C-alpha cells in the first residue's frame, strides 16, 4: 500500500471510538437450514476479542445479559482474532454455525467477498456514518475504535516512554516487544497498515519490521493477551487498541497508551471499528436480526461508553461520562488517517506474505 492509499483528515467531531484463542459460551449444535434450529431461542456470535470484560464486566457481558432478559434469546459466544473468525466461518459454509460475525476491518470486507454475509440494515443503522457501514447493508459498525500501542509506565517512567517506531528497535527492548499476528488478528493487521502509512509505502515498512524482529518476542494470535504481559513488565511495549487497552488499564495500572510516530513525524492512528454482519444462511436468522437491532439500539449504544469505556457507533449518541472525556484526551493531538480498505482487502494476502518473508515468521 503506498501513501496514496490513505488520506489524512483532521479530527472535526467528537470521537466515535471503541474497540485469539477461542472462548465458547454455550454449545454449537444448530445446523444451517434446520427448521428446529431456526426456531431455537438462541443466537451464535463469532467475534473479534476486545469487547468482553476481563472480569465479566465488559460491554458484551452487559449487552448479552440484557438482550437475553428482554427477548429470551441466549447468546452463544465464540471469540478469536478477526481473521480466525472469518476463516472458521468459511470452513463451516456447508454447515453454517454462526448467525452474526463481528470483526475489525479489513476482515469484515473479506467476509463479504467470501460470500459469508447477507444484507440487513439494523434499526438505528441510519445514525451510523456512511464510512462505517456497507452501502448494500452487508455490514454495519456497532462500536468504533482506534488503533494504538501500549507500554509499561512503571518500567519506562521518567521520560523513557517510547515515542517513535525507531525507539522500539533500541537494544533495551530486546525480547521486550511483541505484536499480534498480521492476517490473523485485526490489531496485528493494523500494525502493517499503520507502518505502511507512516513509512510511506510497503517496502520501507517491511524493512522496518525486519529490523524490529531482532527485539520481537514472536507471534500472538490474540492482541488482548499482550496487555497483561506489558502490565507485569514481561514486555515493555505491544500493540493494542484504544478501547480495549483503556478498559484493561482499570485493572492493569502500568498500561500506558501511545501512538508511534516515524522519527521526525507526528503520531498517527486510524479508526478500527467493530463491524457486524448477518451471516448468510444463518441458522437463527430472525434472532440474529433482533440481536443486531439491539446492538445499535440507544440503550446498548449509550452503554458503549458507560460500560465498555469507549464511544458509540451511532452519531446521535452524545457521550459525556468520564470514560468519554478520558479517551478524548488520549487521542487529542494525534493525526487520524483513513486507510483505503478496498485496497487493503484486495491485497492483504500479499502484504501478509511479504511480512512473513521480511520477518521470517
Amino acid at each position: 500500500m503506498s501513501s496514496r492509499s490513505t488520506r489524512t483528515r483532521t479530527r472535526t467531531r467528537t470521537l466515535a471510538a471503541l474497540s485469539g484463542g477461542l472462548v465458547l459460551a454455550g454449545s454449537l449444535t444448530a445446523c444451517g437450514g434446520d427448521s428446529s434450529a431456526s426456531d431455537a431461542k438462541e443466537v451464535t456470535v463469532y467475534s473479534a476479542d476486545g469487547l468482553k470484560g476481563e472480569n465479566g464486566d465488559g460491554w458484551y457481558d452487559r449487552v448479552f445479559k440484557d438482550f437475553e432478559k428482554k427477548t429470551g434469546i441466549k447468546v452463544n459466544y465464540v471469540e478469536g482474532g478477526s481473521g480466525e473468525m472469518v476463516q472458521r466461518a468459511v470452513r463451516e459454509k456447508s454447515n453454517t454455525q454462526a448467525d452474526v460475525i463481528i470483526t475489525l476491518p479489513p476482515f469484515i470486507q473479506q467476509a463479504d467477498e467470501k460470500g459469508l454475509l447477507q444484507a440487513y440494515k439494523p434499526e438505528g443503522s441510519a445514525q451510523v456514518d456512511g464510512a462505517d457501514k456497507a452501502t448494500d447493508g452487508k455490514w454495519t459498525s456497532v462500536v468504533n475504535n482506534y488503533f494504538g500501542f501500549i507500554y509499561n509506565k512503571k518500567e519506562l517512567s521518567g521520560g523513557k516512554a517510547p515515542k517513535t517506531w525507531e525507539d522500539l528497535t533500541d537494544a533495551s527492548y530486546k525480547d521486550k516487544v511483541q505484536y499480534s499476528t498480521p492476517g490473523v488478528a485485526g490489531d496485528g493487521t493494523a500494525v502493517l497498515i499503520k507502518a505502511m502509512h507512516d513509512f510511506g509505502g510497503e517496502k520501507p515498512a517491511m524493512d522496518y519490521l525486519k529490523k524490529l524482529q531482532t527485539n520481537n518476542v514472536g507471534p500472538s494470535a490474540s492482541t488482548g493477551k499482550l496487555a497483561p504481559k506489558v502490565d507485569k513488565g514481561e514486555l515493555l511495549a505491544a500493540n493494542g487498541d484504544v478501547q480495549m487497552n483503556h478498559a484493561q488499564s482499570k485493572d492493569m495500572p502500568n498500561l500506558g497508551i501511545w501512538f508511534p510516530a516515524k522519527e521526525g513525524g507526528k503520531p498517527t492512528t486510524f479508526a478500527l471499528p467493530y463491524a457486524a454482519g448477518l451471516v448468510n444462511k444463518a441458522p437463527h436468522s430472525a434472532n440474529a436480526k433482533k440481536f443486531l437491532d439491539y446492538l445499535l439500539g440507544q440503550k446498548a449504544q449509550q452503554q458503549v461508553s458507560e460500560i465498555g469505556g469507549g464511544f458509540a457507533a451511532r452519531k446521535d449518541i452524545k457521550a459525556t461520562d468520564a470514560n468519554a472525556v478520558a479517551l478524548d484526551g488520549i487521542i487529542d493531538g494525534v493525526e487520524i488517517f483513513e486507510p483505503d480498505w478496498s485496497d487493503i482487502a484486495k491485497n492483504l494476502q500479499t502484504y501478509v506474505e511479504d511480512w512473513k518473508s521480511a520477518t521470517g515468521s
Side-chain angles (χ1 to χ4, degrees):
M1 180 180 65
S2 71
S3 58
R4 292 191 299 272
S5 296
T6 61
R7 64 181 186 276
T8 302
R9 64 179 173 84
T10 57
R11 183 168 171 267
T12 58
R13 61 185 178 85
T14 303
L15 281 177
L18 202 158
S19 140
L22 291 181
V23 178
L24 175 58
S27 60
L28 302 183
T29 57
C31 296
D34 183 88
S35 60
S36 61
S38 63
D39 293 337
K41 298 287 282 184
E42 60 183 312
V43 62
T44 297
V45 178
Y46 284 10
S47 177
D49 58 347
L51 295 177
K52 209 167 189 300
E54 296 286 333
N55 302 307
D57 55 356
W59 186 66
Y60 270 167
D61 300 285
R62 175 62 67 85
V63 166
F64 294 171
K65 181 179 179 180
D66 290 351
F67 176 71
E68 182 175 359
K69 182 177 180 180
K70 179 179 179 180
T71 65
I73 299 170
K74 180 183 178 182
V75 178
N76 299 319
Y77 179 61
V78 181
E79 178 181 285
S82 290
E84 182 182 5
M85 293 294 90
V86 172
Q87 292 164 12
R88 176 167 176 165
V90 169
R91 292 195 300 269
E92 297 171 349
K93 282 184 75 172
S94 62
N95 184 25
T96 305
Q97 301 292 309
D99 299 301
V100 172
I101 189 165
I102 302 175
T103 77
L104 306 180
F107 296 99
I108 196 67
Q109 290 88 347
Q110 280 197 338
D112 186 17
E113 291 172 1
K114 293 177 183 295
L116 294 176
L117 307 179
Q118 59 176 301
Y120 179 66
K121 296 182 179 180
E123 294 177 9
S125 61
Q127 293 294 336
V128 176
D129 277 345
D132 296 329
K133 60 188 176 184
T135 55
D136 61 1
K138 292 291 185 66
W139 56 267
T140 306
S141 296
V142 292
V143 171
N144 287 333
N145 195 8
Y146 285 85
F147 178 62
F149 273 65
I150 48 176
Y151 73 98
N152 184 294
K153 294 191 296 184
K154 182 179 178 181
E155 298 292 332
L156 297 172
S157 61
K160 293 187 290 184
K163 294 181 176 62
T164 68
W165 287 102
E166 289 81 2
D167 287 342
L168 298 180
T169 63
D170 187 83
S172 61
Y173 286 85
K174 176 69 174 177
D175 295 328
K176 291 289 188 177
V177 177
Q178 191 172 17
Y179 59 92
S180 50
T181 308
V184 175
D187 286 327
T189 305
V191 173
L192 293 186
I193 295 170
K194 178 169 158 57
M196 287 190 286
H197 171 269
D198 289 359
F199 286 94
E202 182 186 358
K203 186 181 186 306
M206 297 306 169
D207 289 345
Y208 167 78
L209 292 171
K210 179 179 181 179
K211 185 177 182 181
L212 180 63
Q213 198 67 10
T214 301
N215 290 345
N216 186 24
V217 172
S220 173
S222 170
T223 310
K225 291 182 179 179
L226 299 180
K229 295 180 181 180
V230 173
D231 182 62
K232 295 174 184 175
E234 295 174 20
L235 298 172
L236 290 179
N239 68 314
D241 61 66
V242 173
Q243 177 276 329
M244 178 174 66
N245 295 144
H246 178 67
Q248 290 171 321
S249 69
K250 302 299 176 63
D251 297 315
M252 302 177 194
N254 295 322
L255 291 187
I257 299 173
W258 67 294
F259 306 91
K262 185 178 182 299
E263 200 164 60
K266 296 180 179 180
T268 68
T269 189
F270 60 96
L272 202 61
Y274 289 85
L278 176 64
V279 175
N280 195 25
K281 299 180 181 177
H284 314 103
S285 180
N287 295 346
K289 291 177 180 178
K290 292 179 182 177
F291 179 74
L292 289 169
D293 290 344
Y294 190 84
L295 291 186
L296 278 174
Q298 288 197 0
K299 179 180 179 181
Q301 286 290 298
Q302 192 69 52
Q303 290 171 336
V304 168
S305 179
E306 295 172 358
I307 309 287
F311 293 84
R314 286 179 54 156
K315 57 190 177 184
D316 62 333
I317 302 296
K318 308 300 181 185
T320 58
D321 58 83
N323 285 326
V325 173
L327 285 173
D328 263 334
I330 290 171
I331 206 79
D332 187 44
V334 179
E335 183 180 274
I336 299 172
F337 65 91
E338 294 184 7
D340 183 342
W341 291 116
S342 296
D343 169 82
I344 294 165
K346 178 181 178 181
N347 296 299
L348 178 61
Q349 191 58 42
T350 298
Y351 296 149
V352 171
E353 290 302 321
D354 290 347
W355 167 80
K356 289 179 180 178
S357 177
T359 62
S361 300

